[in-house]
Amino acid sequence: MQNAGFIYGIMPALKKIYPDKGRRLEVIKSHLEFFNTHPYMVGIIMGMTVALEERAANDTTGQASRGMIQVSKNNMACPLAAIGDVFFWALWRPMCAMVMIFPISIFFEKAGSITAKVFFFGFLIMFNSLNFAMRYYGVMRGYQLKEKIVKEISAFNIQKIISIMRNVGLTAVCLAFVLYFFIDLPGLKEKITALCVFVTGAYLYRKGVSSTTLFFGLLLFFTAACLMKI
Amino acid sequence: MLLIAAVSTVLALDHVIGSFMISRPFISGILIGYLMGDIKTGLLIGTIFELIWIDVFPIGTYVSPELVISSVLSVYWVLAQGGTVAFHTIALAMALAVPCSMIFRLFDIWNRQFNNYLVSKMEKKVDEGDEGAVSFYVYLSIFVFALKAFSFFVVFLPAGNLALDWLEGIMPAMVKHALDDSMIYLPVLGLAVGFNFFQKKKYESN
């Protein structure tokens, strides 16, 4: 339903650009084509589309500008979806979660409302600072630069940022494991078992075993081991 | 229970409006834990779900496991039992909540199919000259999603509570002991998943 959401988002601008209802309806119909991209990156396309609609409204030839809008929109949707999926879903979100989660072992025993508030709001503020910035500046830059926004996006060294985020996430995981290992695991037996679980879990995950299977596998393994009195 | 169902519906709506990540399991876990009077349990359950399923995210038309459902249901079921929270109760509630979240995913797929129907209706209305149909059908689809989520919680919150009670009653002490033990290692398993997830240079071109 992203086409409906897209039209809903640019509707106030369309009403301003096309005060005539008949002409506006034709424009709305042209935007009903299939459309799918990343929710945080859509602002760039929205800003660009509004700017191109403004240009089209003042264009006497008409047809060429309308075609241009659809082509630009569709050409931007897929690459931006790919960037958004990798950047926000696959790295920024898990990295923010790990950065907030890793010191939990230190505070867990005394976890009260203040600690919980720090984790709760810390994650939301950290994650959404980039989310809101992307949405706001996406619309603004898309509007200002129109099709030239592609150049600005490609000038970003996304690979470098991705690499930094991955390393921050990895460091947070390692710190979390060390803290859990020394604070939450009481005896030698628990420490050795934890190491076995970590190594086996990491190996199986690398071999393509899903998180859900690993979760139920661990519960079943411990139940079976207990029943066999290992 | 209705308050928890209403709050959980708002959390589940995060996928539809905004994606502000209030639907992340450790955020929803803390919130439901706070409402039920035990933040610590909410934080523990939410963190375990967050770690083990850290690699799950919605890409394109793929419907990811509904972690918000798993965390809300398990935190509610555990805390609705009252008294001291035992580790095996948490493990059992989590194991019960995961399949329930998959049922929700099924409803979600039907919901998306229904959205396609709404879009075709909207297109017809726009063709007839009704531009207001766009906002009407956008709001209608949000309402349908909220109704679906709320109905799901109204049924599954008390039903799972009864199921957990029953399972606790029939479960041998030895199995409870095994689940108690396994709870210590669930965060370790989550960290193993996280370690592999961040180690992969899947998204970096060399």
Side-chain angles (χ1 to χ4, degrees), chain A residues 9-161:
Chain A
I10 62 167
M11 188 65 100
L14 290 181
K15 281 185 176 168
K16 211 169 175 182
I17 299 166
Y18 301 101
D20 173 52
K21 196 187 170 187
R23 203 169 165 205
R24 192 165 65 236
L25 265 171
E26 288 308 310
V27 174
I28 291 171
K29 279 181 207 169
S30 74
H31 285 294
L32 281 174
E33 277 181 18
F34 176 79
F35 177 73
N36 191 31
T37 192
H38 191 274
Y40 300 167
M41 306 298 273
V42 74
I44 296 172
I45 306 176
M46 277 182 165
M48 181 195 73
T49 306
V50 168
L52 293 177
E53 284 294 355
E54 273 181 347
R55 192 199 282 169
N58 302 320
D59 183 18
T60 43
T61 52
Q63 268 319 99
S65 300
R66 284 243 59 78
M68 171 80 176
I69 294 170
Q70 291 310 323
V71 169
S72 306
K73 226 177 98 177
N74 294 334
N75 285 354
M76 294 278 282
C78 284
L80 285 180
I83 294 171
D85 285 341
V86 170
F87 192 87
F88 285 102
W89 291 160
L91 286 158
W92 179 242
R93 196 255 316 146
M95 191 209 79
C96 290
M98 260 336 290
V99 167
M100 292 318 298
I101 283 172
F102 92 86
I104 276 182
S105 288
I106 303 170
F107 304 105
F108 189 73
E109 278 311 309
K110 288 172 191 161
S113 63
I114 293 175
T115 336
K117 271 177 199 161
V118 172
F119 290 130
F120 187 88
F121 291 110
F123 171 77
L124 290 179
I125 292 169
M126 188 177 176
F127 180 86
N128 285 309
S129 55
L130 198 60
N131 170 15
F132 285 122
M134 190 66 223
R135 282 169 192 257
Y136 179 77
Y137 287 107
V139 174
M140 292 303 160
R141 296 303 283 168
Y143 181 77
Q144 285 161 0
L145 297 172
K146 301 180 191 80
E147 312 95 309
K148 287 175 193 140
I149 187 79
V150 179
K151 269 188 186 169
E152 185 160 291
I153 295 167
S154 54
F156 261 104
N157 195 348
I158 291 175
Q159 286 298 322
K160 177 100 178 151
I161 302 168

